[in-house]
């Protein structure tokens, strides 16, 4: 059995389970037009990682989610750590996930 790109994304973000639509959109956003094509770790690992970061970063704003009879709670700190780990493993930019506060000059607002 060959792993598809959507299955690779599902495996990358486990145990978190967003909707299939969210995962398909994330893959589309990173340039994957057919989510059912076979996954090639040599060429697709970074793309799937980018999609995983997109999906997981949307989940950071939630502390829990329920759908019908199933529900899941999120440890936001651990979710952030997972996002950072995916970025580090795949050479992705951590800038959007850096928790160090930045100071900006807002004097033009007065």
């Amino acid at each position: 059995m060959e792993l598809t790109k959507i299955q690779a994304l599902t495996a990358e973000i486990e145990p978190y389970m967003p909707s299939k639509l969210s995962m398909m959109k994330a893959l589309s956003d990173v340039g994957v037009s057919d989510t059912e094509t076979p996954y090639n770790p040599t060429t697709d690992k970074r793309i799937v990682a980018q999609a995983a970061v997109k999906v997981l970063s949307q989940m950071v704003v939630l502390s829990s989610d329920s759908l019908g009879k199933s529900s899941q709670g999120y440890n936001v700190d651990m979710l952030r750590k997972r996002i950072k780990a995916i970025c580090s493993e795949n050479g992705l930019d951590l800038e959007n996930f850096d928790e160090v506060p930045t100071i900006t000059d807002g004097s033009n607002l007065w």
Side-chain angles (χ1 to χ4, degrees), residues 1-10 35-39 48:
M1 177 179 106
E2 279 188 301
L3 194 65
T4 65
K5 289 179 180 141
I6 192 115
Q7 290 171 328
L9 176 57
T10 301
T35 61
E36 297 299 326
T37 58
Y39 171 72
V48 168

Side-chain angles (χ1 to χ4, degrees), residues 16-109:
Y16 306 101
M17 285 310 310
S19 70
K20 186 171 181 177
L21 185 61
S22 295
M23 293 188 293
M24 290 172 64
K25 181 179 183 310
L27 284 168
S28 178
D29 287 350
V30 297
V32 175
S33 58
D34 184 1
T35 61
E36 297 299 326
T37 58
Y39 171 72
N40 179 338
T42 306
T43 58
D44 299 329
K45 187 175 188 320
R46 188 177 167 101
I47 291 169
V48 168
Q50 289 173 323
V53 168
K54 285 183 157 300
V55 170
L56 293 175
S57 50
Q58 290 176 349
M59 299 176 86
V60 169
V61 298
L62 299 172
S63 62
S64 65
D65 185 23
S66 67
L67 181 62
K69 294 181 180 181
S70 69
S71 66
Q72 58 183 346
Y74 308 117
N75 179 323
V76 175
D77 291 332
M78 294 306 291
L79 184 55
R80 288 181 194 273
K81 286 181 182 181
R82 179 66 184 133
I83 291 169
K84 288 180 180 184
I86 292 171
C87 288
S88 295
E89 291 169 10
N90 294 282
L92 301 175
D93 187 13
L94 285 169
E95 182 177 303
N96 294 330
F97 308 103
D98 192 0
E99 295 177 38
V100 177
T102 57
I103 300 172
T104 57
D105 180 6
S107 61
N108 64 330
L109 300 174

